[in-house]
Amino acid sequence: MKTLNQLATITALLLASQAALAAGAGGTWKTIDDETKQAKALVEISESAGGELSGRIVKLFANPDAVCDKCDGPLKGKPVVGMTILTGLKKGGDGWEGGKILDPKSGKVYSAKAKLAEAGKKLEVRGFIGMALLGRTQTWERQ
């Protein structure tokens, strides 16, 4: 009986994680700084008709009037709120990959990948240069 209950629990967890992945990453996410563990911003992620994810900042918690002083090109000096920071993520493997993420604080653009965790309640976003092993991950919380 115990084995049957364990099997039922595992099956339910697998179905829940598959349902979350099918539901996608669209929606509003609270970004959490991986170093300070403090909430930084709200990012609204949307999915294009082609299945590509993009995300833009809709709220900053600490400095709502911040501008991207260190950004290059047309983003230089622009308000961070409203800025698209996540682009080009496409479905692959157990999440999304092949995208880019902008760090408005440094103005740097990194390669990015993301995957849902905790049955879709969290999104693990990894920014990196070159190989995914050389980067860092932030865990965002679904709002």
Side-chain angles (χ1 to χ4, degrees), residues 85-89 96-103 108-114 124-138:
I85 62 161
L86 190 63
T87 58
L89 284 170
W96 297 267
E97 52 194 30
K100 298 287 182 190
I101 189 164
L102 166 70
D103 176 359
K108 294 182 181 178
V109 177
Y110 300 95
S111 295
K113 65 185 212 171
E124 295 174 351
V125 180
R126 184 154 186 86
F128 56 95
I129 297 174
M131 297 184 302
L133 292 173
L134 304 174
R136 62 185 222 203
T137 301
Q138 286 187 343

Side-chain angles (χ1 to χ4, degrees), residues 27 42-47 52-58 82-89 100-101 140:
L42 291 180
V43 175
E44 185 177 79
I45 294 180
S46 58
E47 186 172 351
E52 194 171 290
L53 297 182
S54 65
R56 69 181 184 87
I57 295 177
V58 294
M83 187 174 284
T84 298
I85 62 161
L86 190 63
T87 58
L89 284 170
K100 298 287 182 190
I101 189 164
W140 297 2

